[in-house]
Amino acid sequence: MKLLTRYTFLITLCWLLFMSLAAAMDQGDYRFHRMPETSYYGGINSITKDVYGRIWFTGTDALYMYDAVSYHHVTLPNPIPGRMMNFTSVKSLPDGSLLVSTNVGLYSYDFRKEEFQLECSGSAGYMETEYKDQVWLMMNDTLSLFKGSGQIESYPFPPEISSLGGGRYYGCHSTPSSIYVSKGNNLFRYDPDSGEFSHFGSFPENVPSDNIADVLELGGLIYVLTERSGPFDCMPDG
């Protein structure tokens, strides 16, 4: 009887603790803020936190910063007057720097002046930093490595890749061990040590129009995420 009473007491105590936590959550431990909409509002395509804890995010046509109080619409100098600026990504790097890629150039943020400066002109795609914390991206449809201070190293595709059909270069994807480039339904691996590209894999013929959205390494396998056909798992050699 004593044992049953003890169990009843413990169950009651756990239930009361759970209910108190649930009530505390309902009493405003969380703050929800309505995010500003951009004129086209294609959704958020990139988000990061800087060294001061501020949140930066990009939509298709705008860059915003949230400082825990309000949202700030941030503008960048446009090297091509009259051309609409489209944003592809914002990244906070391990060294504390902040980068933004757009269709007109790659920008870095000067925290002292609180303004962006143009690092490189051109069409800059989504930035990837998983490989050795290096900044890899597509720049003017060419695989590129940003080395800081306006320096970009480009790695042109060999003819067997550049001559392929299947649509535009969708982008660059990095994992802790490799760099990948996708075009149409084809995925290629780039080895920074040898400087060579190799064909990693292709989609099945029944999904030729799909584009690759991301590449992940997990548990010894490579997972390829697509825009419309879900994930594919691959062996490390493709």
Side-chain angles (χ1 to χ4, degrees), residues 103-231:
N103 64 324
V104 297
L106 180 65
Y107 294 81
S108 65
Y109 188 66
D110 188 323
F111 286 93
R112 182 176 60 85
K113 297 181 179 179
E114 294 188 344
E115 63 183 22
F116 280 93
Q117 59 188 15
L118 182 65
E119 292 282 350
C120 307
S121 297
S123 179
Y126 192 90
M127 294 177 286
E128 292 281 348
T129 57
E130 282 75 13
Y131 181 80
K132 298 181 178 180
D133 292 328
Q134 298 174 348
V135 182
W136 290 84
L137 71 161
M138 297 296 296
M139 194 82 180
N140 298 322
D141 284 343
T142 301
L143 180 63
S144 302
L145 171 63
F146 177 64
K147 307 193 74 173
S149 302
Q151 297 182 5
I152 286 275
E153 283 189 1
S154 298
Y155 305 91
F157 298 116
E160 57 267 28
I161 297 179
S162 58
S163 62
L164 280 174
R168 62 188 174 90
Y169 293 115
Y170 186 77
C172 159
H173 318 278
S174 70
T175 66
S177 64
S178 299
I179 309 297
Y180 296 86
V181 174
S182 57
K183 184 184 182 184
N185 67 330
N186 294 289
L187 182 64
F188 302 90
R189 176 186 278 168
Y190 177 73
D191 184 349
D193 295 326
S194 66
E196 296 182 352
F197 289 90
S198 60
H199 187 261
F200 183 78
S202 301
F203 285 113
E205 292 184 359
N206 62 331
V207 285
S209 62
D210 268 8
N211 291 113
I212 296 168
D214 203 359
V215 181
L216 305 173
E217 288 182 1
L218 184 64
L221 294 176
I222 306 296
Y223 292 89
V224 180
L225 309 183
T226 69
E227 290 185 345
R228 293 178 293 275
S229 296

Side-chain angles (χ1 to χ4, degrees), residues 5 7 34 57 63 102 117 133 163 182 219 225 234:
T5 302
Y7 282 156
R34 184 179 297 277
F57 63 93
L63 169 67
T102 75
Q117 59 188 15
D133 292 328
S163 62
S182 57
L225 309 183
C234 310

Side-chain angles (χ1 to χ4, degrees), residues 25-94:
M25 290 178 63
D26 290 338
Q27 291 173 3
D29 281 350
Y30 296 89
R31 291 187 300 166
F32 297 91
H33 300 271
R34 184 179 297 277
M35 300 178 67
E37 295 186 358
T38 63
S39 58
Y40 290 100
Y41 199 60
I44 296 175
N45 56 18
S46 182
I47 188 167
T48 192
K49 181 171 71 173
D50 68 19
V51 292
Y52 297 103
R54 298 175 297 187
I55 304 299
W56 299 76
F57 63 93
T58 57
T60 304
D61 63 339
L63 169 67
Y64 281 91
M65 183 268 288
Y66 178 62
D67 60 7
V69 177
S70 57
Y71 292 94
H72 304 272
H73 183 202
V74 183
T75 59
L76 282 65
N78 193 336
I80 308 177
R83 182 172 181 181
M84 182 176 177
M85 185 178 292
N86 292 324
F87 295 83
T88 51
S89 62
V90 56
K91 286 279 187 179
S92 184
L93 305 184

